[in-house]
Amino acid sequence: MQIGLISDTHMPQRCFEFPVTLPQVFSDLDLILHAGDVGELWVLDELSQFAPIIAVHGNDDSLDSQRELPLQQVVTIGGRRILLWHGHYPDRIDELTSRTDELRPKLRRIAQRARRAGASIVVFGHWHLPFAYDEGGILLINPGTIELGNAAFRQLIQTVAILELDNNGSPAVTHIDLANPTEPYHSPIDFDAGFRAALDHFTRDCRSSEIIADSPKFRQAFDQIIPETARLAVFEALNEAAYPVWRDEKKFVTRQDRLEAIQRSTAIPRDVQQKLVDLFTVGE
């Protein structure tokens, strides 16, 4: 079995189209597993042109994908049980609390989830780090990401993976950098150096220094002044502000870029818009 592994496509919120090399990499597959943060459901229709696809939803997925796709899925192939899971905490507070820099406890948590399902392989996303790692006899596979799900960083390396299972169910994993699809990609992750150091290999912070300074009060305000019904619209406005950076038209997103995108939005309620404008302009 040749199984294509992909995660964090975030289409069309962050990624507008698949990398041009993806059809080449995903040719001659038996199955595709998508580990969440799909974006719109039509993304799965497009991928199904290469092979049948099984998918789960992620924490930054579209409303349709969150409604129609499961949190996790057990897939059994050739007697080998695989857990497909995005890897996030469904509760947002739990998710934010879990975002510490140590990687080893995170690896153990992923493996524990696989053991609970009786799986010897777990395919997950969410971390945006391409690797295959044996944790106590459980093979943890993250294919990496096509795009990030937030407006603070820019993805530098887009990766997928191929999981090959032989007749005995023995696995072999190959990661592929879609910018160089003819060669296997060898991830430079040092698991003892921490999550931030690992992520720095694959992403670049695209925020100006003033936005970085704003981040603590924005995170606090997000829960206090932005109602659940308006959060997706706020995220979309922040993404819009970052588009010029993603298109290489400018290097950083500024506070003014974000303010203008928030004010242009017709989806953010007026009272929420004003609270956000006040938050970032008081004291200037």
Side-chain angles (χ1 to χ4, degrees):
M1 292 284 291
Q2 293 266 62
I3 305 168
L5 309 179
I6 189 169
S7 189
D8 296 86
T9 42
H10 291 286
M11 296 177 69
Q13 295 89 348
R14 282 295 312 263
C15 182
F16 307 113
E17 58 186 3
F18 287 117
V20 295
T21 57
L22 189 64
Q24 172 189 345
V25 174
F26 272 8
S27 62
D28 301 321
L29 294 177
D30 298 296
L31 181 68
I32 297 172
L33 300 180
H34 195 305
D37 279 356
V38 173
E40 301 294 338
L41 284 170
W42 59 259
V43 174
L44 303 180
D45 300 333
E46 299 252 335
L47 288 170
S48 71
Q49 298 178 57
F50 307 124
I53 182 166
I54 298 172
V56 294
H57 76 255
N59 61 311
D60 286 324
D61 244 317
S62 67
L63 295 178
D64 286 350
S65 291
Q66 290 185 55
R67 184 186 67 242
E68 303 298 342
L69 298 175
L71 174 70
Q72 67 179 50
Q73 182 70 48
V74 172
V75 182
T76 303
I77 300 172
R80 174 81 69 159
R81 192 178 297 179
I82 301 171
L83 174 66
L84 179 64
W85 176 42
H86 189 58
H88 67 292
Y89 288 81
D91 180 84
R92 183 172 180 274
I93 300 302
D94 290 342
E95 172 62 32
L96 294 177
T97 303
S98 75
R99 294 185 179 184
T100 59
D101 197 54
E102 287 187 272
L103 272 172
R104 298 289 181 185
K106 299 177 190 291
L107 294 167
R108 290 194 291 271
R109 170 178 172 262
I110 298 293
Q112 183 179 17
R113 186 80 166 214
R115 289 192 185 93
R116 190 186 77 172
S120 57
I121 299 173
V122 55
V123 176
F124 70 107
H126 191 43
W127 294 8
H128 312 126
L129 302 176
F131 66 87
Y133 183 87
D134 186 287
E135 173 64 33
I138 306 294
L139 178 59
L140 281 54
I141 309 172
N142 194 311
T145 186
I146 301 299
E147 281 295 344
L148 294 171
N150 65 63
F153 294 87
R154 179 178 180 182
Q155 187 68 22
L156 301 178
I157 302 176
Q158 297 173 304
T159 60
V160 295
I162 304 295
L163 169 62
E164 184 175 356
L165 298 176
D166 65 18
N167 291 334
N168 296 318
S170 298
V173 182
T174 303
H175 284 85
I176 299 165
D177 176 359
L178 292 172
N180 185 24
T182 60
E183 298 292 333
Y185 178 73
H186 301 288
S187 186
I189 295 172
D190 178 351
F191 291 98
D192 292 317
F195 184 82
R196 182 71 258 169
L199 197 62
D200 283 344
H201 291 292
F202 309 102
T203 66
R204 176 177 71 79
D205 196 324
C206 63
R207 300 171 296 172
S208 65
S209 58
E210 59 187 1
I211 288 186
I212 294 174
D214 285 341
S215 291
K217 64 180 179 181
F218 179 78
R219 283 195 296 268
Q220 183 178 16
F222 195 89
D223 291 316
Q224 293 180 350
I225 69 175
I226 304 175
E228 187 75 33
T229 53
R231 290 177 182 178
L232 181 59
V234 173
F235 279 135
E236 289 175 346
L238 297 182
N239 283 344
E240 180 189 337
Y243 286 158
V245 175
W246 302 337
R247 292 193 295 257
D248 287 325
E249 295 170 5
K250 58 189 302 185
K251 190 171 183 180
F252 295 108
V253 182
T254 66
R255 179 190 291 160
Q256 188 62 32
D257 293 332
R258 286 190 166 184
L259 281 171
E260 291 176 359
I262 287 168
Q263 291 172 312
R264 281 195 303 270
S265 173
T266 58
I268 301 175
R270 290 297 179 187
D271 62 321
V272 177
Q273 280 184 333
Q274 190 58 54
K275 288 177 182 178
L276 288 170
V277 170
D278 292 342
L279 180 71
F280 294 118
T281 55
V282 170
E284 289 190 352

